[in-house]
Amino acid sequence: MTDYYEILGVPRDATPEQIKKAYRKLAREHHPDVAGDGAGSEDTFKDVSRAYDVLGNPEKRRAYDLGGDPSSPGGGMGGGFGFQDIFETFFGAATGAAAQRGPIPRARRGQDALVRLDLDLAEVTFGVHREVPVDTAVVCPTCSGSCCRPGTSPRTCEVCGGRGSVQRVARSFLGQVMTTQPCAACHGFGTVIPEPCTECSGEGRVRSRRTLAVDVPAGVDTGTRIKLTGQGEVGPAGGPAGDVYLEVRERKHDTFVRRGDDLHATLEVPMTAAALGTVLTLDTLDGPQEVDLRPGTQPSQIVSLKGLGVGHLHAPGRGDLHVHVEVQVPTAMDDEQAELLRRLATLRGEERPEARLAASSSGVFAKLRDKLSGR
């Protein structure tokens, strides 16, 4: 079976636009009226046309990819290929009924808007209702989007008769060809505005600031976007409004660090409190909470408070609050305090404590040794 992809020089996953571009390039190079009769240009042109007839038609291409050869016996002038493609190849202009799609609608959809929304940790934890100011385009209150001065209306273009396009005859090696182009008088709209609205200068919309109410759900994070459908700028001539996207940016908190839906905080406690145990009060986003430190609490130990983290986005429940204990060792002591510590060390048999490596540290030094030895 003929490899049409190879003929056009495109990969098997080529897009329709890539296929069409490759066909136009080859058709210009090998068309008999351009390349002449030498080097088999006519046969090559037929092969290129046949390949495009199949690959340029979605249904035929699907059948071909499944192992069939649905090329038409007419030399590639079937559903995916026609006179319009030949003319567009050489002139880049639309022809015939395919170009006569009627006037362009004056009303078009407006653009989307992206607005940054700065939130505190408490707001992303519990959710919040916010009023967001937005500068955007709204329907002109004077003409209500008609673009015309009140009391007037659009007038049918006298040049194109309301079609939005005009036709002209062009000479080519194929003979006289009728081409269609947008009307220069009405810019393809089919109508003209004889008396534009003075408020919007004939745009049908004006700039204005308005306030949007939004309920921000719990659990949003920096980079989360909230879509407000139809709240963007109104299109020209009062066309449909675009959308507004609120992009969340979470402010840093002085105490808590967020990791996912969990919160982390560092709690500094005296050495005696870590050794003897105590109950401390910690100010959280939910108010004061008690933190129970067991006797013998070690440095870097973590105490978790369940359900005091950030709310889950689109799901019930909340993350946890993890409190990292940091034991404070006194750096300056008076004689009485030093004597008490020495007595404690004597009672514990630690007058001359011996230094030793923890089991976990041995692995670190082993890795360091291997790295230095090049292993």
Side-chain angles (χ1 to χ4, degrees):
M1 186 173 64
T2 305
D3 190 341
Y4 293 135
Y5 290 100
E6 182 178 355
I7 292 176
L8 294 182
V10 296
R12 300 192 71 85
D13 59 350
T15 64
E17 185 61 31
Q18 289 176 321
I19 292 174
K20 192 170 187 178
K21 183 178 180 180
Y23 161 72
R24 290 180 174 180
K25 179 177 180 296
L26 293 173
R28 281 193 293 265
E29 293 177 358
H30 299 287
H31 195 282
D33 290 338
V34 177
D37 297 330
S41 59
E42 183 175 356
D43 293 337
T44 303
F45 180 76
K46 289 181 179 179
D47 291 339
V48 170
S49 300
R50 189 177 299 109
Y52 181 66
D53 172 51
V54 175
L55 301 184
N57 184 300
E59 294 182 1
K60 290 185 178 182
R61 182 181 181 183
R62 191 178 303 112
Y64 175 75
D65 289 340
L66 293 175
D69 189 353
S71 58
S72 61
M77 300 296 264
F81 173 81
F83 175 76
Q84 179 185 353
D85 296 297
I86 292 180
F87 196 84
E88 288 184 5
T89 298
F90 290 94
F91 298 96
T95 62
Q100 299 177 0
R101 300 185 180 93
I104 303 172
R106 192 178 293 274
R108 300 188 300 278
R109 183 182 183 276
Q111 293 183 348
D112 298 334
L114 180 64
V115 180
R116 194 178 70 186
L117 182 62
D118 293 327
L119 299 176
D120 295 327
L121 179 59
E123 293 174 323
V124 302
T125 297
F126 303 107
V128 67
H129 178 83
R130 291 288 293 270
E131 302 286 335
V132 182
V134 177
D135 291 316
T136 184
V138 298
V139 176
C140 176
T142 301
C143 67
S144 301
S146 68
C147 306
C148 301
R149 185 174 62 82
T152 65
S153 59
R155 185 180 63 206
T156 301
C157 177
E158 297 178 355
V159 176
C160 65
R163 294 186 301 272
S165 58
V166 293
Q167 295 182 330
R168 67 181 182 86
V169 177
R171 294 182 178 275
S172 71
F173 60 86
L174 299 175
Q176 291 186 339
V177 179
M178 185 73 69
T179 64
T180 303
Q181 296 178 335
C183 176
C186 65
H187 305 287
F189 295 126
T191 59
V192 294
I193 307 297
E195 298 183 57
C197 172
T198 56
E199 178 74 15
C200 62
S201 301
E203 278 287 316
R205 58 180 182 172
V206 294
R207 305 296 299 184
S208 176
R209 167 169 284 203
R210 55 198 178 99
T211 301
L212 302 179
V214 56
D215 291 318
V216 180
V220 295
D221 201 352
T222 296
T224 300
R225 288 189 177 184
I226 302 173
K227 180 181 179 181
L228 302 180
T229 304
Q231 297 297 325
E233 73 169 26
V234 170
D243 303 324
V244 168
Y245 291 89
L246 301 178
E247 185 172 84
V248 174
R249 189 178 72 171
E250 181 182 327
R251 299 189 185 98
K252 290 185 178 180
H253 195 271
D254 294 335
T255 303
F256 301 108
V257 176
R258 178 181 178 182
R259 296 174 185 168
D261 288 342
D262 292 337
L263 296 178
H264 296 258
T266 300
L267 181 63
E268 297 178 347
V269 298
M271 180 179 64
T272 52
L276 300 176
T278 186
V279 177
L280 301 176
T281 301
L282 177 66
D283 289 330
T284 70
L285 298 178
D286 295 81
Q289 298 289 330
E290 290 186 346
V291 179
D292 187 8
L293 298 182
R294 301 295 183 182
T297 297
Q298 299 297 309
S300 302
Q301 187 169 329
I302 299 176
V303 179
S304 297
L305 304 179
K306 300 294 183 181
L308 294 184
V310 179
H312 300 314
L313 183 62
H314 305 314
R318 295 169 58 185
D320 302 327
L321 171 58
H322 302 289
V323 180
H324 300 254
V325 178
E326 183 175 310
V327 179
Q328 294 178 315
V329 178
T331 57
M333 296 181 291
D334 57 26
D335 294 340
E336 182 179 0
Q337 293 171 337
E339 180 61 27
L340 289 174
L341 282 181
R342 278 192 290 270
R343 291 176 58 187
L344 176 62
T346 301
L347 293 174
R348 291 175 55 86
E350 298 175 351
E351 298 92 339
R352 295 176 61 115
E354 295 181 0
R356 61 185 178 86
L357 292 175
S360 59
S361 299
S362 61
V364 175
F365 282 100
K367 292 180 180 178
L368 178 60
R369 183 181 62 250
D370 293 342
K371 183 176 181 181
L372 294 176
S373 62
R375 284 185 288 177

